[in-house]
Amino acid sequence: ELADIQYSSFNNSVSVDLLSIYTGTIYPVGTPREPVNNFIDALDIASERGFSKINIIGNAIIDFGLDYSGKIFYGESITKSILTIDVAAQVSGCEFFNATIQGTLDGGSTIKECKIMNLDYVNGIVESCILNGTITLSGNAILLDCWDDLPNSTPTIDFNNTSSSLSMSNYNGQIFFKNKNSNESVIIDLNSGKITLENTVTAGTITIRGVGQVINNSVGATVDTTFLLNPSTITDSILDAQTSEHLISGSIGEAIVNSGLTTEQAKQLLLIFVNSL
């Protein structure tokens, strides 16, 4: 039963602490009790034991041009573990959890419950993450239930002038878009937030729905805010409706229609009313 005892002591993963004194691949190195201090040995232990999960203690640079493809990295927390992914590391199809992430990915990645700093070539799923720096896309990206790191950041999505699509669901906070010159679609569902489209956004259809504000400095892109709610869109919708829809006896609409106000005066009055709700 010795092999089974050894296997269970790893807790189905290899433990890595780059400040550890333990090196090599001989048991119990790589267990939580004796975490290995380098990724070369960690990958050898993972291969020998059949593990795909790597638990990282503290900060780490994932480097040396090694092949980490398909590995699952867990940090201690977003405050205790900063994982820096070197451009030479092969991290295709990797997953990252519970850490602060920065560096360069290879694609097909999953990032969950992390803080994201400057991260290049995102192609995959980002879920329940804090966005702090610039995320550079390359391919199809899906962001679910993410939010900004205000007041400490102005997160940015850089399309890098590549054929990249983006879907963001239930986003909270502000975010900037830049360098989009392809026709791939972008769909944003805001829980509450602000989207700023820079003048380097020049192509494609960008659909923004939910509750929030859009600062549209794009040049040539199609920006659809039909289902975006904010005080301005609510008042515009009311003012664009047929007069017959505002003639219920005793209603605010009837009072505005019969007041003789100009359109701009009516809009300002409605804005005051909507903001008071």
Side-chain angles (χ1 to χ4, degrees), residues 14-23 34-43 54-64 66 68 73 76 80-84:
V14 181
S15 295
V16 176
D17 181 353
L18 298 187
L19 300 180
S20 166
I21 62 173
Y22 303 107
T23 189
E34 294 189 9
V36 68
N37 63 9
N38 67 89
F39 282 109
I40 295 176
D41 290 337
L43 290 177
I54 298 176
N55 283 331
I56 296 178
I57 301 168
N59 302 328
I61 299 176
I62 301 173
D63 60 355
F64 294 114
L66 300 174
Y68 302 88
F73 294 89
E76 292 184 279
K80 292 183 179 180
S81 297
I82 300 175
L83 306 186
T84 302

Side-chain angles (χ1 to χ4, degrees), residues 30-177:
T31 63
R33 185 163 61 89
E34 294 189 9
V36 68
N37 63 9
N38 67 89
F39 282 109
I40 295 176
D41 290 337
L43 290 177
D44 285 342
I45 295 170
S47 176
E48 178 183 350
R49 303 281 181 175
F51 300 143
S52 59
K53 181 179 173 182
I54 298 176
N55 283 331
I56 296 178
I57 301 168
N59 302 328
I61 299 176
I62 301 173
D63 60 355
F64 294 114
L66 300 174
D67 188 353
Y68 302 88
S69 298
K71 294 296 184 289
I72 304 171
F73 294 89
Y74 275 82
E76 292 184 279
S77 71
I78 62 174
T79 57
K80 292 183 179 180
S81 297
I82 300 175
L83 306 186
T84 302
I85 305 163
D86 188 82
V87 66
Q90 300 178 49
V91 290
S92 178
C94 286
E95 300 179 22
F96 302 88
F97 296 85
N98 207 34
T100 293
I101 308 293
Q102 61 187 5
T104 303
L105 299 174
D106 290 325
S109 302
T110 296
I111 305 172
K112 187 173 182 180
E113 296 176 353
C114 293
K115 176 187 281 191
I116 298 179
M117 307 299 287
N118 293 331
L119 193 62
D120 292 341
Y121 311 128
V122 173
N123 176 2
I125 298 175
V126 177
E127 182 177 357
S128 300
C129 288
I130 300 172
L131 308 187
N132 185 286
T134 296
I135 297 177
T136 303
L137 303 186
S138 178
N140 301 321
I142 299 173
L143 275 65
L144 306 173
D145 299 323
C146 294
W147 58 97
D148 65 14
D149 194 24
L150 285 177
N152 302 313
S153 71
T154 51
T156 299
I157 299 293
D158 185 349
F159 289 83
N160 199 30
N161 291 327
T162 58
S163 298
S164 298
S165 65
L166 173 66
S167 174
M168 295 178 65
S169 296
N170 198 34
Y171 184 74
N172 294 267
Q174 73 167 343
I175 195 163
F176 292 78
F177 290 172

Side-chain angles (χ1 to χ4, degrees), residues 211-268:
V211 179
Q213 181 184 12
V214 174
I215 306 299
N216 184 12
N217 297 318
S218 65
V219 181
T222 300
V223 181
D224 182 356
T225 58
T226 303
F227 297 103
L228 180 70
L229 295 179
N230 59 48
S232 293
T233 60
I234 292 172
T235 55
D236 286 344
S237 177
I238 294 172
L239 291 173
D240 288 340
Q242 295 296 315
T243 302
S244 59
E245 298 182 25
H246 299 295
L247 296 180
I248 298 175
S249 178
S251 69
I252 292 176
E254 181 191 43
I256 292 175
V257 168
N258 295 329
S259 67
L261 295 174
T262 66
T263 300
E264 185 58 32
Q265 289 172 332
K267 182 175 181 179
Q268 293 304 315

Side-chain angles (χ1 to χ4, degrees), residues 156-214:
T156 299
I157 299 293
D158 185 349
F159 289 83
N160 199 30
N161 291 327
T162 58
S163 298
S164 298
S165 65
L166 173 66
S167 174
M168 295 178 65
S169 296
N170 198 34
Y171 184 74
N172 294 267
Q174 73 167 343
I175 195 163
F176 292 78
F177 290 172
K178 68 179 183 179
N179 297 329
K180 185 182 188 313
N181 67 357
S182 68
N183 291 322
E184 276 69 24
S185 64
V186 173
I187 299 177
I188 310 298
D189 286 298
L190 290 173
N191 184 47
S192 174
K194 177 181 177 182
I195 306 289
T196 299
L197 307 178
E198 298 188 0
N199 59 12
T200 54
V201 177
T202 60
T205 298
I206 301 173
T207 302
I208 304 174
R209 304 176 299 214
V211 179
Q213 181 184 12
V214 174

